């Protein structure tokens, strides 16, 4: 077995585990993953796409894609990188029984281009049919919006409408719908805003026995420095010893709805070529 595959099998959760959200609805397992430089950047200046991963860790990423039912990116990444999100690098001998994950784009206002590689690949038989998740808000019935939906569907996409929370698509709404559509495992690749949302979701206080929304975090750290004009990511929660919620407890205010620093525990670190892969789980 390849080193990358062995590593992933040791850090990803078993697919036999049934996962439920706080309201008892089934949701898929979630792996949040991305590549960053030593100075914490995921892209260059103005979001310019960078190849941070070396060949070995990139191969690991393709194995990871092969081990998930769906792969999620935000519309920022879809526009900026025009990614393919399919499995291409695995050697032919290992390719039997392997399929590319279902591409899923978070795109509240249906801005995805109809000539993007995801749709082209699907039409050419080189990837699964892309699913585009948009907002089910009152504006969704506008003529312009309906025209964009029809154009995307004609180009090969399936469009799903889900609710928004604070102006962004609801992550729980997304995960519930994905599970309804038989998706048991989701790999979230980015970009910066999507990483922020999933990190925040992983930090939300949960009821007893309720699993974290994000199960696994796998970060590739490349031995390179991008510089201050590169694009970094934020986790959306404070790491101060005395957190906002502590302050509110001191003030006697309710804190249930506040985010906490994600409770993260390290599982394994591996070198793949020149890159370091750090894996852990949210608890
Ligand atoms: N190094 C790496 O591993 C990776 C790097 N990247 C880099 O990341 C950059 C893109 O990041 P960014 O510009 O932040 O774009 P994202 O890919 O994170 O997309 C963000 C957009 O997605 C839409 N969206 C809908 N719902 C949500 C939600 N719940 N949470 C977050 N976003 C949501 C929003 O647009 P709307 O409101 O219109 O729907 C939002 O503006 C590129 O430079 C790319 O190269 C990307 C992936 C991996
Ligand atoms: N693992 C990893 N390493 C990097 O250096 C990267 N830049 C990325 N980016 C992600 O991969 C997408 C491109 O995928 P395709 O090669 O087009 O299939 C890109 O959009 C990011 O999501 N990942």
């Amino acid at each position: 077995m390849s080193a990358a595959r062995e590593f992933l099998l040791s850090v990803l959760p078993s697919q036999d585990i049934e996962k439920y959200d706080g309201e008892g609805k089934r949701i898929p397992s979630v792996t949040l993953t991305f590549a960053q430089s030593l100075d914490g950047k995921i892209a260059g200046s103005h979001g310019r796409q960078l190849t941070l991963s070396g060949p070995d860790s990139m191969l690991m990423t393709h194995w990871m894609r092969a081990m998930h039912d769906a792969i999620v990116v935000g519309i920022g990444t879809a526009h900026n990188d025009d990614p393919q999100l399919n499995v291409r690098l695995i050697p032919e001998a290992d390719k039997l029984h392997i399929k590319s994950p279902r591409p899923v784009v978070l795109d509240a206002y249906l801005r995805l281009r109809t000539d993007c590689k995801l749709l082209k690949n699907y039409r050419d038989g080189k990837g699964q049919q892309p699913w585009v998740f948009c907002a089910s808000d009152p504006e969704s019935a506008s003529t312009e919006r309906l025209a964009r939906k029809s154009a995307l569907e004609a180009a090969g996409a399936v469009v799903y409408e889900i609710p928004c929370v604070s102006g962004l698509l609801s992550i729980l709404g997304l995960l519930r719908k994905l599970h309804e559509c038989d998706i048991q495992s989701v790999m979230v690749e980015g970009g910066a805003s999507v990483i922020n949302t999933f990190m925040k979701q992983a930090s939300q206080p949960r009821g007893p026995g309720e699993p974290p929304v994000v199960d696994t975090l796998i970060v590739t750290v490349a031995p390179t420095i991008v510089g201050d004009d590169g694009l970094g990511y934020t986790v959306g929660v404070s790491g101060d010893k005395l957190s906002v919620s502590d302050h509110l407890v001191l003030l006697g205010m309710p804190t249930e709805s506040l985010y906490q620093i994600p409770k993260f525990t390290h599982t394994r670190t591996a070198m793949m070529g020149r890159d370091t892969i750090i894996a852990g789980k949210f608890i």
Side-chain angles (χ1 to χ4, degrees):
M1 192 190 296
S2 77
R5 194 156 168 250
E6 183 275 320
F7 175 80
L8 290 168
L9 287 171
S10 75
V11 299
L12 291 172
S14 153
Q15 285 312 302
D16 299 336
I17 298 168
E18 291 189 355
K19 189 174 162 191
Y20 294 85
D21 67 16
E23 289 176 27
K25 301 212 170 88
R26 288 289 302 273
I27 53 171
S29 67
V30 177
T31 305
L32 177 60
T33 185
F34 49 87
Q36 69 167 62
S37 62
L38 284 178
D39 54 341
K41 307 296 181 192
I42 63 165
S45 60
H46 307 293
R48 183 170 54 89
Q49 184 181 15
L50 293 179
T51 303
L52 292 161
S53 302
D56 302 77
S57 61
M58 198 62 103
L59 174 63
M60 185 273 304
T61 297
H62 278 236
W63 269 113
M64 207 187 317
R65 288 179 177 182
M67 290 176 180
H68 289 82
D69 294 335
I71 182 165
V72 171
V73 293
I75 184 64
T77 298
H79 269 173
N80 192 75
D81 300 359
D82 195 12
Q84 304 197 62
L85 307 178
N86 52 8
V87 178
R88 305 186 301 280
L89 302 181
I90 291 179
E92 283 305 318
D94 291 323
K95 265 198 174 151
L96 220 64
H97 310 304
I98 278 181
K99 67 174 187 181
S100 290
R102 164 92 48 201
V104 172
V105 183
L106 304 186
D107 181 14
Y109 305 103
L110 294 176
R111 297 188 283 128
L112 185 66
R113 285 189 297 259
T114 51
D115 61 350
C116 67
K117 286 183 188 153
L118 289 176
L119 287 164
K120 186 170 183 319
N121 275 355
Y122 169 59
R123 293 192 299 265
D124 295 345
K126 291 185 196 152
Q128 291 208 51
Q129 185 169 27
W131 290 352
V132 180
F133 279 75
C134 69
S136 57
D137 62 18
E139 195 259 335
S140 64
S142 75
T143 317
E144 192 196 335
R145 174 77 167 260
L146 290 172
R148 282 201 297 275
K149 183 169 184 264
S150 300
L152 282 171
E153 285 169 343
V158 175
V159 176
Y160 290 109
E161 292 189 2
I162 54 170
C164 280
V165 176
S166 312
L168 292 171
L169 295 174
S170 154
I171 298 303
L172 278 182
L174 167 78
L175 295 175
R176 286 171 185 165
K177 187 72 199 170
L178 286 176
H179 194 275
E180 268 173 45
C181 299
D182 211 23
I183 298 292
Q184 315 288 339
S185 56
V186 175
M187 168 173 170
V188 179
E189 273 208 2
S193 309
V194 168
I195 293 169
N196 177 283
T197 311
F198 275 85
M199 286 279 195
K200 259 164 78 176
Q201 196 75 47
S203 330
Q204 221 172 6
R206 305 190 302 273
E210 186 183 334
V213 167
V214 182
D215 302 84
T216 314
L217 177 67
I218 302 180
V219 181
T220 294
V221 182
T224 177
I225 293 172
V226 170
D228 292 349
D229 53 352
L231 176 71
Y233 59 93
T234 51
V235 297
V237 281
S238 166
D240 281 354
K241 282 223 169 66
L242 195 58
S243 68
V244 178
S245 55
D246 292 331
H247 282 294
L248 292 182
V249 167
L250 292 175
L251 292 168
M253 291 169 71
T255 60
E256 296 77 37
S257 62
L258 285 172
Y259 296 102
Q260 310 282 335
I261 304 163
K263 291 190 182 62
F264 174 80
T265 175
H266 171 254
T267 20
R268 197 168 159 193
T269 296
M271 289 299 297
M272 295 196 187
R274 46 157 223 187
D275 300 333
T276 309
I277 320 291
I278 300 168
K281 22 182 209 181
F282 291 97
I283 47 173

